[in-house]
């Protein structure tokens, strides 16, 4: 089975520009960043597949890997809440107070023994430092 070549050259180049690099960053630097990102993604997928039942990667396996970083988890939970809110607004739902829980949020709540992963009221030190 031949492995397909994946390239995020244009996206990485635009992200580098967005973070302050020149409009056309050095191609070697872009390729280096791309190889690092792809290497890390492959590592994450391999690690997540260890928790998979049938070699099919589901979001729950990726969430399980992130569970030890409460700041990443909180940002992800906030993202899920915002996505649900956005769907409700786009579908012209008037009552925004009683938003149903996303199945991923329910999964996070099941693995969150202390409640700190879904506590969005705590200050995000990591994001503040950035």
């Amino acid at each position: 089975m031949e492995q397909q070549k994946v390239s995020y050259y244009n996206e990485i180049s635009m992200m580098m520009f967005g973070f302050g690099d020149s409009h056309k960053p050095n191609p070697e630097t872009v390729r280096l960043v791309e190889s690092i990102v792809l290497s890390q993604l492959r590592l994450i997928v391999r690690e997540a597949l260890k928790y998979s039942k049938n070699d099919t990667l589901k979001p729950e396996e990726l969430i399980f890997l992130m569970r030890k970083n409460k700041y990443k988890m909180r940002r992800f939970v906030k993202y899920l809440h915002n996505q649900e809110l956005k769907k409700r607004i786009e579908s012209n739902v008037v009552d925004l107070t009683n938003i149903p829980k996303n199945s991923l949020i329910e999964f996070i709540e099941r693995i969150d023994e202390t409640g700190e992963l879904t506590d969005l009221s705590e200050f995000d030190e990591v994001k503040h430092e950035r």
Side-chain angles (χ1 to χ4, degrees), residues 1-129:
M1 183 164 114
E2 188 177 320
Q3 188 175 10
Q4 185 179 0
K5 177 73 176 153
V6 178
S7 178
Y8 296 102
Y9 184 91
N10 292 334
E11 292 84 353
I12 291 173
S13 178
M14 287 188 284
M15 287 171 55
M16 289 174 68
F17 174 63
F19 286 116
D21 207 318
S22 69
H23 182 64
K24 293 192 182 235
N26 184 332
E28 290 178 26
T29 305
V30 176
R31 281 193 276 288
L32 175 66
V33 171
E34 180 183 42
S35 73
I36 292 169
V37 168
L38 288 174
S39 170
Q40 289 177 339
L41 279 172
R42 287 183 187 105
L43 181 69
I44 290 168
V45 168
R46 266 189 241 115
E47 191 66 30
L49 282 172
K50 290 179 183 177
Y51 300 104
S52 176
K53 293 180 182 174
N54 56 2
D55 290 340
T56 303
L57 190 60
K58 295 185 293 189
E60 288 83 356
E61 283 93 17
L62 294 169
I63 289 170
F64 191 73
L65 286 179
M66 283 194 321
R67 75 192 183 283
K68 294 182 181 175
N69 188 323
K70 67 180 180 181
Y71 298 110
K72 285 181 185 178
M73 287 298 296
R74 285 184 189 147
R75 278 184 240 127
F76 184 63
V77 168
K78 188 171 187 174
Y79 168 79
L80 292 174
H81 280 295
N82 288 338
Q83 287 299 104
E84 191 60 41
L85 188 62
K86 182 180 173 185
K87 282 182 198 173
R88 306 264 327 247
I89 290 171
E90 288 174 352
S91 64
N92 295 323
V93 174
V94 178
D95 181 18
L96 299 176
T97 57
N98 191 14
I99 298 173
K101 289 185 181 175
N102 180 305
S103 63
L104 293 178
I105 292 176
E106 289 176 354
F107 175 75
I108 293 168
E109 288 174 345
R110 283 196 310 268
I111 65 170
D112 184 14
E113 296 173 352
T114 61
E116 65 183 350
L117 301 179
T118 54
D119 180 13
L120 302 179
S121 65
E122 191 173 319
F123 183 68
D124 188 345
E125 298 169 24
V126 176
K127 188 174 179 180
H128 179 72
E129 285 181 21

